[in-house]
Amino acid sequence: MAHPQHAAARRGRSLASREALQGFVFVSPWILGFLLFTAGPMLFSLYASFTNYDITSQMAWIGFKNYDTMLNHDPLFWKSLRNTLYFVVISVPLQTAAGLLLAMILNRRMPGIRLFRTVFYLPSVLSGVGVYVLWMMLLSPSAGLVNLTLSWLGIDGPAWLTDPAWTKNAIILMKLWGSGSMMLLYLASLQGVPSKLYEAAELDGAGRLRKFWHVTLPMITPVIFFEIVTGFIGGFQIFQEGYVMSYGNDPGAPMNSLLFYNLHMFLKAFKVFDMGYAMAMAWFLFLIVLLLTLINLTLSRFWVHYEGGEQ
Amino acid sequence: MNMATFSKREYAREREQERKIALMKASPAKPLRRKLSTLLLFVLMTLVGLLMLVPLWWMISTSLKSMQEIMSYPPTIVPEQVHWDNYIHAWQKGHFGRYALNTLLLAGIGVFSHVLSNTFVAYGFAKIRFKGKKLLFSIMLGTMMIPSFVTLIPQYILFSKLHWINTYLPLTVPGFFGSAFQIFLVRQFFMTIPNELIEAGKVDGANHFRIWWQLMLPLSLPVIATIAIMTFQGAWNDFTGPLIYINSESLFNLQIGLQAFKSTETTQWHYLMAGSVIVLLPVVLLFFLFQKYFIEGMNISSATKG
């Protein structure tokens, strides 16, 4: 016979372990999914990036050959990387600035303010092929609404999606139209700035510009930082625009000016089935994005202000 | 006049006064200048707002014009003659009926699986104590940083080995295993529900499974609505997934269907715009019906990083 105290302790222990078991049961779908769809595939792709894998034939270890080809013998690799960088470097800051400007203006009492917010947010809800087709029409060189408007202003508009020098700008313009979601985030954070801070600044005789520079801006730096980091990560994944909005249904055309990094990778993987090479490309981009995010994080210490000190 | 309305009115008046005082505090002097600048901004915003809406107006307007009218100069802002038959042409020639059903099926399964699995997993992370929970949770947050293209190709290989290509399995099965972002979202919501409720449920003899199903889910309808909308929108707009996994035309969703339609009807703008309206309209309607939940998802996601 067990001692009653021991029995109670055992019961407590077994209760706790039964609780723990249930906890595992609840999170097990995610654990399984993580192993099957994230961790497993990542490990496999890391390995396969050192092989000549093409789905049909036996895979063979070829060392760093894919990486060597990528960096030294594939001009389209560099082209696609440059295209992507061009898009990210111009689009992300532009969208950040536009979103902030709109939020600043909409963060005040004005008749119809709710309607304004809805109107500016609406385009960002729309995405996908429908929007691409719409902008292909708006940007069509001779009959498109954009160039028509420009011609009323006496400007001779470019051939947007058919002129390789302008294709990426066309997509940046389209993305700017949909930057309302950023505006919404800034609006929320602007409304979180305590009015006491403004009152104190006013007592010190600060004008509107100084209040913005010394109160508003520091208080919303965490959101700006969030937007820049996620904007960069998202921007590097641009793919569909180059696939759908290309000239003559030839992905990346004209003259590969819309061949973004992920599009090049996609074509390598699913058009010529050079899977090993494509996976090397994926890992290379993963490293770039990781590095950029780390740089962003490090730099953030100098300009991102968190309430309540260090974080 | 009864008391209730009277006090309501008085309350409103008081609030109005408070608002005025607050406004005066914000700008102690120069009310006229402030009014003028507001007026100026109002005009400016109206102009910019119209500019934002012009593309949508142009899409609808073009979808109702004849090709002749589209080519005419100067362009007409409102169609001279409304061509509803453009929609009939697009709907039939683009096979949008079938694609719409396919898309609805995918979105329906998506919403069901995401709500089920993400609330289930989130309950484990929010309300049950077990060893290793913190570590698992931070791994899960870390996966949100992994760009999808790193796993895209190996996942394709996995599904092709399973002979799942050209079926809906690759597009639906992963949803039952939860998605990190939505689990995180629901978990944040669950954390705000007091533990006493769960203890009370346990005293009544309910196990965790029943507490999740009968207690947490009914209490969590706002966050469920948010993830349901997010998932629906994601499934509706999914292009890359079907592009990779689906070859049969009969299994296309609307996005792939519209892309194919675009390829065959190049520069037939009236038909293309009718097709675009067909694909975009449900999302616009959804947005106006559930605006709150669209914005909710945005705000929660920012609050987590801020």
Side-chain angles (χ1 to χ4, degrees):
Chain A
M1 274 299 274
H3 198 273
Q5 255 178 342
H6 285 169
R10 202 161 49 231
R11 216 167 27 241
R13 233 190 348 262
S14 78
L15 249 167
S17 70
R18 215 170 63 206
E19 178 90 356
L21 187 71
Q22 284 182 327
F24 269 109
V25 170
F26 269 90
V27 300
S28 61
W30 172 75
I31 296 178
L32 263 174
F34 171 69
L35 295 175
L36 281 173
F37 302 126
T38 307
M42 279 181 84
L43 285 176
F44 174 79
S45 80
L46 184 60
Y47 171 76
S49 74
F50 295 100
T51 71
N52 60 357
Y53 192 61
D54 63 356
I55 274 207
T56 44
S57 51
Q58 198 71 33
M59 66 203 289
W61 183 268
I62 55 168
F64 280 93
K65 189 161 173 290
N66 284 330
Y67 292 90
D68 177 54
T69 310
M70 198 167 81
L71 298 171
N72 299 320
H73 307 289
D74 180 6
L76 284 184
F77 166 82
W78 291 107
K79 175 93 183 164
S80 68
L81 187 59
R82 270 199 307 274
N83 284 340
T84 308
L85 273 173
Y86 181 93
F87 171 75
V88 170
V89 165
I90 297 184
S91 188
V92 173
L94 214 56
Q95 284 194 49
T96 309
L100 186 55
L101 191 69
L102 278 180
M104 295 283 305
I105 295 172
L106 291 180
N107 184 35
R108 51 148 69 211
R109 273 169 215 287
M110 203 192 283
I113 193 80
R114 275 166 170 269
L115 187 68
F116 279 130
R117 288 176 188 166
T118 307
V119 165
F120 287 110
Y121 184 52
L122 178 64
S124 69
V125 174
L126 305 171
S127 64
V129 181
V131 173
Y132 306 149
V133 176
L134 167 61
W135 277 90
M136 288 176 85
M137 176 188 70
L138 294 173
L139 292 168
S140 114
S142 51
L145 191 61
V146 173
N147 278 4
L148 217 61
T149 314
L150 287 175
S151 76
W152 290 334
L153 302 170
I155 302 168
D156 202 9
W160 298 107
L161 288 163
T162 47
D163 180 353
W166 279 91
T167 48
K168 285 183 281 294
N169 297 334
I171 289 181
I172 289 166
L173 183 70
M174 177 182 79
K175 290 279 167 191
L176 207 55
W177 183 62
S179 56
S181 58
M182 282 201 178
M183 168 205 78
L184 214 64
L185 282 191
Y186 288 126
L187 206 56
S189 80
L190 284 174
Q191 283 169 354
V193 179
S195 55
K196 268 187 194 154
L197 290 180
Y198 290 119
E199 284 163 23
E202 262 164 34
L203 283 179
D204 291 342
R208 194 172 273 181
L209 206 66
R210 291 192 58 173
K211 271 194 289 184
F212 172 73
W213 196 252
H214 292 289
V215 180
T216 313
L217 211 53
M219 289 302 283
I220 63 170
T221 45
V223 178
I224 299 180
F225 176 62
F226 171 77
E227 287 297 352
I228 290 177
V229 169
T230 52
F232 267 72
I233 294 175
F236 269 102
Q237 304 205 53
I238 182 167
F239 159 73
Q240 293 179 15
E241 291 80 354
Y243 187 93
V244 179
M245 297 177 78
S246 55
Y247 182 63
N249 292 314
D250 178 16
M255 285 174 74
N256 292 317
S257 61
L258 287 182
L259 187 77
F260 293 111
Y261 193 97
N262 276 2
L263 181 54
H264 186 41
M265 191 179 74
F266 172 89
L267 295 174
K268 282 281 178 198
F270 300 108
K271 286 284 173 301
V272 294
F273 292 99
D274 202 345
M275 296 269 178
Y277 185 76
M279 283 186 269
M281 276 189 75
W283 273 94
F284 189 76
L285 188 58
F286 181 42
L287 286 182
I288 295 180
V289 172
L290 198 68
L291 202 72
L292 268 174
T293 308
L294 287 178
I295 291 174
N296 256 329
L297 273 170
T298 317
L299 288 178
S300 77
R301 277 194 300 178
F302 298 106
W303 65 276
V304 178
H305 168 86
Y306 286 107
E307 243 182 309
E310 291 288 300
Q311 268 195 344
Chain B
M1 184 192 289
N2 69 41
M3 275 301 284
T5 55
F6 175 73
S7 62
K8 220 183 239 170
R9 195 178 282 178
E10 200 159 55
Y11 175 71
R13 197 184 301 147
E14 246 176 51
R15 287 291 301 273
E16 180 60 22
Q17 237 153 19
E18 270 173 32
R19 199 179 68 86
K20 274 185 188 152
I21 291 169
L23 257 174
M24 269 161 62
K25 259 192 189 166
S27 65
K30 306 176 254 176
L32 188 70
R33 237 183 89 181
R34 199 178 166 81
K35 263 185 195 159
L36 264 174
S37 82
T38 304
L39 185 72
L40 207 72
L41 277 176
F42 180 80
V43 174
L44 185 78
M45 283 291 98
T46 309
L47 288 175
V48 182
L50 283 174
L51 209 65
M52 298 290 274
L53 288 179
V54 162
L56 294 178
W57 172 257
W58 206 246
M59 174 170 65
I60 295 165
S61 161
T62 307
S63 74
L64 293 170
K65 290 178 182 172
S66 66
M67 199 58 201
Q68 220 172 354
E69 196 182 341
I70 293 171
M71 287 302 165
S72 70
Y73 188 90
T76 48
I77 295 165
V78 181
E80 277 165 0
Q81 219 184 354
V82 177
H83 283 266
W84 293 109
D85 47 310
N86 290 346
Y87 281 83
I88 297 166
H89 173 93
W91 183 265
Q92 286 171 349
K93 249 198 117 187
H95 307 294
F96 284 127
R98 168 178 286 167
Y99 304 151
L101 280 178
N102 291 343
T103 311
L104 276 175
L105 177 72
L106 285 171
I109 298 173
V111 169
F112 173 75
S113 64
H114 277 75
V115 169
L116 198 71
S117 64
N118 293 325
T119 57
F120 190 77
V121 175
Y123 181 81
F125 276 127
K127 293 297 181 190
I128 307 179
R129 295 175 66 170
F130 61 94
K131 239 188 178 169
K133 185 166 87 171
K134 268 195 175 160
L135 178 71
L136 284 174
F137 191 66
S138 27
I139 293 175
M140 191 189 80
L141 292 186
T143 61
M144 287 201 274
M145 302 286 171
I146 301 169
S148 61
F149 50 76
V150 182
T151 50
L152 186 75
I153 300 164
Q155 274 179 16
Y156 173 85
I157 295 165
L158 172 73
F159 293 134
S160 83
K161 296 279 179 219
L162 293 169
H163 300 289
W164 282 8
I165 304 299
N166 209 24
T167 70
Y168 281 163
L169 292 171
L171 303 176
T172 49
V173 171
F176 286 92
F177 293 87
S179 77
F181 179 64
Q182 293 193 6
I183 292 170
F184 178 76
L185 220 66
V186 181
R187 183 228 182 220
Q188 296 304 93
F189 188 89
F190 281 176
M191 296 293 269
T192 64
I193 295 175
N195 285 330
E196 284 78 16
L197 265 174
I198 291 164
E199 294 306 321
K202 275 186 186 166
V203 169
D204 287 345
N207 57 17
H208 278 305
F209 188 78
R210 269 189 63 188
I211 295 171
W212 162 70
W213 182 250
Q214 292 184 335
L215 201 65
M216 296 302 258
L217 287 192
L219 286 173
S220 312
L221 292 180
V223 76
I224 288 174
T226 298
I227 63 170
I229 297 254
M230 284 169 83
T231 309
F232 185 89
Q233 207 193 356
W236 195 266
N237 290 331
D238 190 12
F239 178 75
T240 313
L243 178 69
I244 292 175
Y245 294 115
I246 303 300
N247 316 314
S248 303
E249 204 253 326
S250 62
L251 293 177
F252 280 2
N253 72 344
L254 278 170
Q255 297 290 325
I256 301 293
L258 184 57
Q259 156 72 12
F261 186 62
K262 181 207 120 199
S263 306
T264 56
E265 307 268 318
T266 318
T267 65
Q268 299 270 57
W269 292 120
H270 49 329
Y271 297 145
L272 279 175
M273 287 307 109
S276 296
V277 172
I278 291 170
V279 174
L280 289 175
L281 197 64
V283 180
V284 176
L285 289 179
L286 209 68
F287 171 68
F288 279 111
L289 282 175
F290 300 108
Q291 229 188 101
K292 186 173 156 240
Y293 299 107
F294 275 87
I295 291 165
E296 203 94 330
M298 289 289 308
N299 283 344
I300 299 171
S301 66
S302 73
T304 61
K305 308 281 159 89

